[in-house]
Amino acid sequence: MYLVQTYREYFRKTKQNLYKSKKLKMPKPEIYVIYVGDRKTRPEEISLSEEFFEGKDICIDVRVKMIYDGKNGDIINQYVVFTRVCNE
């Protein structure tokens, strides 16, 4: 949903018409997840089909880059620490 909303805003700002037959210009998507749970393995990426559909071929698959801790003191690290405190 965030990706779709980001693209909608991008098309609006670049004044591209979604309803013409002309191909749209769009930036390459990158999707990240900040993971704060306990997980035995820490893959760099996970995919929708592998995580939820046993690796089967699905019409739309998404690969997500995983972020676990961030660098000490940066905003991602602060979010991870905050989330862990709230979970306790």
Side-chain angles (χ1 to χ4, degrees):
M1 290 187 298
Y2 293 124
L3 179 62
V4 170
Q5 184 61 34
T6 300
Y7 274 134
R8 284 180 59 120
E9 290 174 19
Y10 174 79
F11 294 138
R12 184 182 53 77
K13 286 180 181 177
T14 59
K15 297 182 170 125
Q16 296 186 63
N17 187 335
L18 298 174
Y19 304 104
K20 286 189 173 182
S21 59
K22 183 179 176 184
K23 187 185 280 189
L24 298 170
K25 294 179 182 177
M26 49 196 296
K28 177 183 161 189
E30 289 188 17
I31 302 172
Y32 296 88
V33 168
I34 300 173
Y35 187 83
V36 296
D38 295 323
R39 190 177 176 125
K40 292 178 184 178
T41 61
R42 293 175 71 137
E44 290 185 29
E45 284 186 349
I46 60 171
S47 90
L48 182 67
S49 69
E50 290 172 9
E51 287 291 312
F52 298 100
F53 301 103
E54 300 169 349
K56 293 179 183 169
D57 188 25
I58 57 176
C59 293
I60 298 176
D61 194 11
V62 177
R63 286 192 330 243
V64 178
K65 296 180 182 183
M66 303 293 287
I67 299 173
Y68 294 97
D69 296 320
K71 295 183 176 120
N72 194 19
D74 72 5
I75 191 72
I76 293 172
N77 180 259
Q78 292 174 22
Y79 175 78
V80 169
V81 170
F82 172 77
T83 304
R84 288 183 180 151
V85 169
C86 285
N87 287 341
E88 290 175 3

